[in-house]
Amino acid sequence: MAANSLLPKPCTPLYSSPFSLNSPPSIPSTHFTNFFFDPHDKSPCFRTSTIANAKKKNPWLDPFDFGDDPEMEYGSLFSDGKQEEDPRPPDNPDSPYGFLKFPAGYNVEVASLGLKVRGDVRRCCCVVAGGVYENLLFFPVIQLIKDRYPGVQVDVVAAARGKQTYELNKNVRWANAYDIDDPFPDPGEYTDMIGLIKGRYYDMMLSTKLAGLGHAAFLFMSTARDRVSYIYPNVNAAGAGLLLSETFTPAGLNLSEGGYHMYHEMLDWLGRPARNVPRQPVPPLKVSISRKLKEFVEEKYKKAGVEKKKYVVIHGIESDSPASMQSMGDKDSLLPIHIWAEIAKAVRGVKPLFVIPREKEREDVEEIVGEDSSIVFITTPGQLAALVNDSVGVIATNTTAIQLANAREKPSIALFSSQEKGRLFVPNAVEKRCVIISSKTGKLIDIDVEEVKTAMQIFEWSLVLA
């Protein structure tokens, strides 16, 4: 009996048989349904329906992520409008220990929750592949980031040639030289760049390099909150989506073949409308030139024998130098010097100024054009921009000089191998005062010189204003 008294008493089942005499009163099915599935109950715990909404952020990360729920309200404290300025507490000038500075990743504030909810960006790093031409056309993307996220600090990682472009951009804080297109980077440089990026605590990383698993791992190790990149349009992109927050798939393997709007997928995503923030318009291409750079270039072209506002820049002489500043999407964009000599003879009222990318081309120009020709040696995009800024106009092939002329609102004559290339790289040419002349055979060397001579009337109005 004692042993039996120590045994636990059997529990009465919660839902006993309906034929049991000890069964509790049954609950009507209507009350049961209303309690758990009340259609008027707005509590998120008992919501059962799902609403199809915008596209998934990344189907690789969460297969059950159907986008943001439009019925979910975070409140105006964290979600409304654009981001404000830096939320760190102000410095205390009365402190005996000087100004109190917190490290970038250890801000003593709760605003980080608002940054996460709104998706605000305080620090952004742009990894830009390609040369001078591709980095110059990335300027509207940087301006869009500055407009969309006020107070953001933008840094750039580009190749050595591409880094030179950012002396024309006042919106970039730091520009680091790193060859992102190298398939087999030096291990020391690779780990050093990852450590440099990781120590800056970026909120967003943007990359224009087509990413596979290797480049996606590079962006993932930066520990940035948002990792956005182009990916390969083929099987080489396998696995990259697992490590990226947002991906863009271009039409081909060469992003530069898209011309002026080569980054339109990224621009469309960056300018997307958000909570109480309308769609951000895409800004035009603009460059800023420092006073010291203008003075330095002015000395160079005066030594060449020309005066300010009294010369036309001729750019695109055939050369094997990387300083030719041609686009990676248009390899047929340089002309031999004997064709440029015929074009220069038709210039009236101003002097043609030949821009050479290497000193060894000087002898060829003097031999074919004449020893009294004006020649200037320019290798950086900043010096070329200052040269274009002080000129009457530009006659060039599809090089950086055409885009700089459009950015500084100078009349220009652009020579292309085909009409399709002209439409891609110089859209809205009439508004930009740019005359596009294309070859009839698809080869730039067969350009009609007489058509170029006729188009030089575009410089007459600039001469009157000068």
Side-chain angles (χ1 to χ4, degrees), residues 255-274:
L255 197 65
S256 303
E257 292 178 352
Y260 182 84
H261 297 295
M262 66 175 70
Y263 306 117
H264 69 93
E265 298 98 344
M266 184 175 288
L267 284 166
D268 184 69
W269 181 80
L270 287 170
R272 67 194 185 280

Side-chain angles (χ1 to χ4, degrees), residues 82-99:
K82 293 186 179 182
Q83 69 180 21
E84 298 177 355
E85 292 300 324
D86 197 341
R88 285 184 290 184
D91 299 330
N92 183 12
D94 299 328
S95 173
Y97 302 102
F99 297 101

Side-chain angles (χ1 to χ4, degrees), residues 281-301:
V282 179
L285 173 63
K286 296 293 182 183
V287 295
S288 58
I289 309 172
S290 65
R291 180 179 54 84
K292 291 184 178 180
L293 188 58
K294 291 180 180 179
E295 294 175 353
F296 176 77
V297 174
E298 186 175 1
E299 293 180 2
K300 294 191 70 171
Y301 67 69

Side-chain angles (χ1 to χ4, degrees), residues 133 313 315 325 384 388 394 396-397 399-406 412:
Y133 205 111
V313 174
H315 193 268
M325 305 185 201
L384 182 60
V388 170
V394 173
T397 56
T399 62
T400 307
I402 288 296
Q403 302 298 339
L404 290 174
N406 297 334
S412 59

Side-chain angles (χ1 to χ4, degrees), residues 318 335-343 345 364 368-369 445 449:
E318 188 175 29
L335 281 175
I337 186 59
H338 68 270
I339 296 181
W340 284 117
E342 295 181 20
I343 296 174
K345 291 178 182 178
D364 298 336
I368 297 176
V369 181
I445 197 171
V449 178

Side-chain angles (χ1 to χ4, degrees), residues 35 45 90-91 93 119 123 159 186 215 254 261 272 302 322-323 331 358 360 366 390 393 397 409 417 440:
F35 180 78
C45 299
D91 299 330
R123 298 168 186 86
D186 181 77
H215 185 58
N254 189 358
H261 297 295
R272 67 194 185 280
K302 283 184 177 180
K331 298 298 183 181
R358 278 183 177 173
K360 70 177 185 179
E366 292 178 349
D390 289 348
T397 56
E409 299 179 353
S417 59
K440 304 298 188 296

Side-chain angles (χ1 to χ4, degrees), residues 78-132:
F78 290 144
S79 63
D80 288 351
K82 293 186 179 182
Q83 69 180 21
E84 298 177 355
E85 292 300 324
D86 197 341
R88 285 184 290 184
D91 299 330
N92 183 12
D94 299 328
S95 173
Y97 302 102
F99 297 101
L100 185 59
K101 292 285 189 181
F102 291 99
Y106 303 92
N107 295 341
V108 188
E109 34 100 6
V110 75
S112 58
L113 177 59
L115 299 182
K116 178 64 177 178
V117 172
R118 291 190 305 265
D120 288 348
V121 178
R122 301 292 185 190
R123 298 168 186 86
C124 177
C125 181
C126 302
V127 182
V128 187
V132 171

